[in-house]
Amino acid sequence: MCGIVAYIGAKPAQSYLIEGLKRLEYRGYDSAGLAVLEGGKLNVVKAVGRVANLEDKIEDLGGFRGTIGIAHTRWATHGGVTEFNAHPHTDDRNGIAIIHNGIIENYAALKTYLEEKGHKFQSQTDTEVLAMLIGELYAPQEGVDLEAAVQAALREVTGAYAIAVICEKEPDVLVVARKGSPLMVGVGAGEYVVASDASAIVSHTTQAFVLDDYNVVKITRSGFRTSTIHNVPVTSKIMQLELELQEIELGGFSHFMQKEIFEQPKAISNCIRGRLNMDEGRIHLGGVGNFSKELSKIKNIVLTAQGTALHAAMIGEYLFEDLAKVSSVAEYASEFRYRNPIVEENTLVIAVSQSGETADTLAALQEAKERGALAMGVVNVVGSSIARETDAGVYLRVGPEIGVASTKAFTGQVAVLSMLAMYMGRKRFMSADQCRDLMKDMERIPGLIERICEQDARIKKVTEKYIHRENWLFLGRGYNYPTALEGALKLKEISYIHAEGMPAAEMKHGPIALINDGMPAVFIANKGRQYEKVMSNIQEVRSRGGHVIAVATEGDKDITKYAEDVMYIPEIPECLSPMLAVVPLQLMAYHAAVLRGHDVDKPRNLAKSVTVE
Ligand code: M6R
């Protein structure tokens, strides 16, 4: 969603800010803006659309040389996509400028209070309210400097925020704060780069610290001080950023989504490395080891997530029941959090999330925790809000995912859930040999994904054949029913083609009415328990004029009798097959978006991480 960058140091801030905004473009946004302090004056520039538009405007103004500034990419929540609503926002008295990610929930009441005090608002945003409130409380002659005014304002606020604030009257001070939205400070030599994610920092420094909720950091060119909003000093621990620059660059690929699809073999290798203990026939997961006793007593598992992560969670539901014999259910976090869920004794809640910042998933986790569940995270971003909120957890270790359409995070989530199910299974009914056999198959996954990716050119050709069709169906059963949902989501989110995913058997209960001459129906028809049933479903579609595209197991000759186009995946136990079956679907969606001329990594209306409800 929105992105934050701020700089204070000895060099012109502008290049740091623009570079940072470009690195954050992947998060999704609809306008951008920047404020630089120069010669004691605040210069604010905003533009609707891409960061390039903002750059053009700045160039027309001759550029800025000031060495302190803040910049933002906005994804509209309160108020339309206009320059007025874009950040930074300023107060009307003191030359204070602020950028903000999150939502100020009590902004309406605060706005009324500030209007009564004579403040005049220009935008419809909650952020402008915060700018005015800081300005209202700012009284340097009475000892309320920028840091104190920010602390005081945040004591009045309910909601979520990551903010960066500068002020004409304190040109050597940058104040940043966080509650609920991620924010980190990169510590360089005589300079600081603040950002909402590490990708905007790592080209300048690999030393950084993450703000905790309610932390306020006052940064000057000679140092920083962290405190709470109640001004209690806090020690910030500087860490080494693991992120490599090449991980966030295209490296010869046309799009991040494409790069991340092809990176899956390496990503899964990293994900499973050191976690499969062949000698003992058991799974080793560092982040859950301390809860070994509790995990053997677990009677119910609730997996909760949104979007692609929910599809992985749904596969987890099958895995836990099959491999660990523990009753499991996967639920939209947005529904779970509000439906008064019954959390019985010995319940494990697993929040699945790439970013670790999805607002609904975080809230669902908190809700389950309050009701007594043991909280576990299956998360990619280290140190993210969900990772910090959980009792135990397993990181995906698939590297940063920049493409808005999630690909390698999905296969990583399924890989981690498979390992977790085996881990739990070994505590119950699974023998060391059974576990060893599955681990051997897990080890094959990276090489098998590589083999599927070699069919890329053919998959593109298949996609071309159907590219003008506006309605698609994705059908699968068992483990690959969630894979079908994922195939449909991938196609719709980047190519804007209408696609529906469902269990293949459900088709007869209504959706079959949609099938008309030439409608593409993608079936996941790999060899498994329900192969014959899927074949019957395929024939039902064929006999009504639909075009069948199948994802089938290598060596399956019969499938060509029923499907017009076949994309093959290697043979693997059914419970691990989603990690393979999803790859041709990811490639199809990618090609469809490119063929339709869409910006694959910046799909319309979408944000990489959804930090509002
Ligand atoms: O960061 P998370 O995994 O929690 O994100 C959840 C969804 O917002 C995300 O998977 C979304 O559906 C993607 N755009 C799918 O490609």
Side-chain angles (χ1 to χ4, degrees), residues 303 308-323 328-330 352 410-411 413-415 417-418 421 478-486 574-582:
L303 297 116
T308 288
L310 180 75
H311 301 150
M314 290 168 78
I315 294 166
E317 184 181 326
Y318 286 80
L319 284 163
F320 284 111
E321 297 203 338
D322 253 4
L323 306 183
S328 305
V329 62
V352 184
F410 175 79
T411 41
Q413 285 156 353
V414 179
L417 291 168
S418 308
Y479 276 102
N480 283 307
Y481 147 50
T483 316
L485 298 183
E486 177 58 8
E574 208 177 345
C575 63
L576 303 179
S577 66
M579 282 182 272
L580 303 186
V582 77

Side-chain angles (χ1 to χ4, degrees), residues 306-309 352-356 358 361 404-406 413 486 489-490 493 606-610:
Q306 296 289 142
T308 288
V352 184
S353 173
Q354 188 286 129
S355 62
T358 300
T361 310
V404 170
S406 189
Q413 285 156 353
E486 177 58 8
L489 176 62
K490 283 288 88 73
E493 71 180 327
L606 288 185
K608 179 64 184 159
S609 93
V610 181

Side-chain angles (χ1 to χ4, degrees), residues 439-469:
M439 288 196 289
K440 282 186 195 145
D441 284 313
M442 285 285 291
E443 279 184 327
R444 291 168 57 223
I445 298 273
L448 301 184
I449 296 182
E450 214 163 282
R451 227 156 86 194
I452 299 168
C453 287
E454 283 163 13
Q455 294 177 58
D456 185 42
R458 239 183 56 69
I459 293 172
K460 183 176 173 198
K461 274 217 170 99
V462 174
T463 315
E464 263 164 358
K465 246 172 104 176
Y466 303 101
I467 195 63
H468 299 298
R469 299 286 171 179

Side-chain angles (χ1 to χ4, degrees), residues 231-248:
N231 200 27
V232 177
V234 169
T235 308
S236 293
K237 233 172 80 199
I238 296 178
M239 58 176 186
Q240 175 78 22
L241 292 177
E242 297 293 338
L243 195 63
E244 302 277 344
L245 202 52
Q246 83 237 26
E247 290 182 284
I248 54 167

